[in-house]
Amino acid sequence: GNSVTQMEGPVTLSEEAFLTINCTYTATGYPSLFWYVQYPGEGLQLLLKATKADDKGSNKGFEATYRKETTSFHLEKGSVQVSDSAVYFCAPEDSNYQLIWGAGTKLIIKP
Amino acid sequence: DTGVSQNPRHKITKRGQNVTFRCDPISEHNRLYWYRQTLGQGPEFLTYFQNEAQLEKSRLLSDRFSAERPKGSFSTLEIQRTEQGDSAMYLCASSSPTRGGQNTGELFFGEGSRLTVL
């Protein structure tokens, strides 16, 4: 069946460090791929998305590229801030356009 | 656009009691989803509606859970005879179809309703 695998957290970095959160998935076809973020005390919100191979989604300095060959959608940011501390979820769609959710990766940024 | 609204935000109840949560989606969003989330986990799908029709319900969902969307706008999620294992955050999300007419995984979430069963 369809599934998603993310880096286990927490990931702890210092401010201005480079961030990578790995995400790989299994799915039939070529699903759209999403990263959602959940800030402390807030609801889930869409961070970025990519709908076809080689697309790059970007938002708030974060980027992720749809890699069909490796079925991956790794999240990157060049210089993280304390305000980026949150839980990040990689979520591909299944064939019914429903999202597949993993456990998320908690990111802690220290000043 | 006021976003997805859920209430109550917090509910504490005793085991065996019934609880009801309400979700008001973004207006004109045709799909409405209910998820459950426990600490350290991702959202777990419960059910979804397209307009007033309930199109899918998780097989993991006990028959103590029921959801309605009577007029295709707001939705309610009722849990009967609550158990301690029902303690979780209940999330509601809505979506609208793309120009191609297909709903995608781009969901708009509310802030959730936290249930504590004592």
Side-chain angles (χ1 to χ4, degrees):
Chain A
N2 299 335
S3 64
V4 60
T5 302
Q6 287 183 235
M7 285 173 64
E8 277 196 31
V11 173
T12 304
L13 296 172
S14 297
E15 207 165 20
E16 298 183 4
F18 184 87
L19 168 72
T20 300
I21 300 178
N22 290 336
C23 170
T24 57
Y25 64 92
T26 59
T28 54
Y30 303 107
S32 293
L33 305 173
F34 300 82
W35 275 99
Y36 280 81
V37 59
Q38 192 168 34
Y39 297 104
E42 298 185 17
L44 276 158
Q45 55 186 276
L46 178 66
L47 179 60
L48 53 82
K49 67 178 183 181
T51 57
K52 59 183 187 295
D54 300 325
D55 263 3
K56 178 184 285 188
S58 61
N59 187 24
K60 298 183 180 181
F62 290 88
E63 294 182 338
T65 301
Y66 191 137
R67 300 290 187 197
K68 183 180 67 174
E69 303 81 9
T70 54
T71 60
S72 64
F73 193 51
H74 305 321
L75 183 68
E76 297 181 334
K77 186 173 185 180
S79 176
V80 292
Q81 306 300 312
V82 172
S83 57
D84 294 325
S85 297
V87 181
Y88 292 82
F89 294 90
C90 178
E93 282 178 340
D94 67 13
S95 55
N96 292 323
Y97 303 99
Q98 298 274 25
L99 292 174
I100 304 163
W101 297 90
T105 302
K106 184 173 184 177
L107 175 66
I108 300 170
I109 306 300
K110 295 188 172 180
Chain B
D1 182 0
T2 57
V4 178
S5 175
Q6 292 188 246
N7 65 80
R9 294 289 310 280
H10 304 274
K11 179 71 176 178
I12 301 173
T13 191
K14 292 183 179 178
R15 189 178 52 175
Q17 298 296 305
N18 299 345
V19 297
T20 299
F21 299 114
R22 175 178 169 128
C23 173
D24 288 88
I26 294 172
S27 61
E28 299 179 358
H29 274 196
N30 64 338
R31 279 202 182 175
L32 186 149
Y33 299 79
W34 285 100
Y35 290 90
R36 176 170 59 192
Q37 187 178 25
T38 53
L39 196 62
Q41 299 298 315
E44 174 192 10
F45 171 77
L46 296 179
T47 188
Y48 88 93
F49 293 83
Q50 181 149 314
N51 301 313
E52 66 275 9
Q54 188 172 17
L55 294 190
E56 189 174 342
K57 189 174 174 181
S58 169
R59 285 172 291 175
L60 301 175
L61 203 59
S62 157
D63 58 7
R64 295 183 297 106
F65 288 70
S66 62
E68 293 183 340
R69 195 183 183 196
K71 297 181 181 178
S73 57
F74 74 92
S75 176
T76 57
L77 176 69
E78 181 182 18
I79 309 173
Q80 296 182 325
R81 306 180 303 281
T82 53
E83 301 173 356
Q84 288 183 325
D86 298 331
S87 296
M89 180 75 85
Y90 289 85
L91 305 176
C92 177
S94 67
S95 72
S96 62
T98 65
R99 270 176 283 181
Q102 179 62 55
N103 286 76
T104 70
E106 186 167 349
L107 305 183
F108 295 80
F109 282 84
E111 294 187 337
S113 293
R114 181 172 296 283
L115 173 64
T116 302
V117 182
L118 302 176

